[in-house]
């Protein structure tokens, strides 16, 4: 058996995984946290992307929007990852067997790369385009890539449940 597959089977057989899977409140509470935090995280992410596109909050300095939103984005993302990993631990073999879970993880990495590129290029020079009515092309590209990736991540996340093997 492939090493990773035997790890997932080992994880599945732990009492921790069993508790999430079989307890009355385990999975529903974690899933609720995953979905509720999504509204916070995605709300701020979409608003920020629309600011990068120069479509909203145009009279507000882009650096101010970034500074105000970043704590919520970082906090929301951290809770999404923790609740997501806990969800995954509840049924690792089945979740990993779905193409949607794998695609979602790849897109999460791409969304991270997009943020990294933004922060190390155009984001670093935000004071140069802080209040300009037309945001630079690099900011627009970062905004569009982010919007497309988060929409696809949400769709893949939702599709996971439909691709699970029958119990
Ligand atoms: C910010 C990052 C994330 C976003 C935006 C996100 C979004 C979503 C969405 C929208 C769903 C569907 C919820 C529903 O309607 O039932 C979902 C489900 C799920 N997510 Fe995430 N997720 C994120 C991170 C993660 C991570 C890091 C993992 C695991 C490593 C993960 C594991 C799962 C699993 C296993 C499900 C399926 C739950 C089920 O159907 O029972 N997620 N996610």
């Amino acid at each position: 058996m492939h090493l990773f597959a035997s790890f997932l089977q080992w994880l599945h057989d732990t009492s921790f995984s069993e508790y999430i899977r079989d307890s009355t409140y385990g999975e529903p509470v974690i899933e609720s946290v995953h979905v509720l935090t999504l509204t916070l995280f995605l709300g701020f992410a979409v608003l920020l992307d629309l600011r990068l596109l120069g479509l909203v909050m145009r009279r507000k300095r882009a650096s101010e929007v970034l500074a105000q939103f970043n704590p919520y984005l970082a906090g929301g993302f951290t809770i999404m990852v923790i609740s997501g990993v806990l969800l995954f631990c509840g049924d690792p073999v089945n979740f990993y067997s779905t193409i949607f879970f794998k695609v979602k993880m790849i897109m999460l990495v791409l969304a991270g790369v997009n943020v990294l590129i933004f922060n190390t290029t155009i984001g670093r020079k935000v004071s140069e385009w802080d209040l300009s009515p037309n945001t630079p092309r690099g900011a627009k590209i970062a905004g569009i890539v982010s919007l497309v990736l988060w929409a696809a991540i949400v769709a893949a996340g939702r599709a996971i449940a439909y691709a699970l093997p029958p119990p």
Side-chain angles (χ1 to χ4, degrees), residues 27 31 34 38 77 80 84-85 95 104-105 108 157-158 161:
E27 199 271 342
E31 174 101 23
H34 204 57
L38 177 74
F77 187 76
M80 289 302 292
V85 169
F95 282 134
K104 182 180 162 192
M105 292 303 116
L108 276 175
R158 184 77 279 253

Side-chain angles (χ1 to χ4, degrees), residues 15-37:
S15 52
F16 172 66
S17 176
E18 207 177 306
Y19 171 77
I20 295 175
R21 201 170 42 249
D22 301 339
S23 67
T24 311
Y25 296 108
E27 199 271 342
V29 168
I30 301 168
E31 174 101 23
S32 304
V33 171
H34 204 57
V35 173
L36 286 173
T37 314

Side-chain angles (χ1 to χ4, degrees), residues 52-68:
L52 294 180
L53 286 164
L55 296 175
V56 299
M57 296 182 283
R58 301 170 66 164
R59 282 193 291 277
K60 210 165 168 48
R61 290 177 177 281
S63 56
E64 261 177 52
V65 176
L66 281 162
Q68 281 180 8

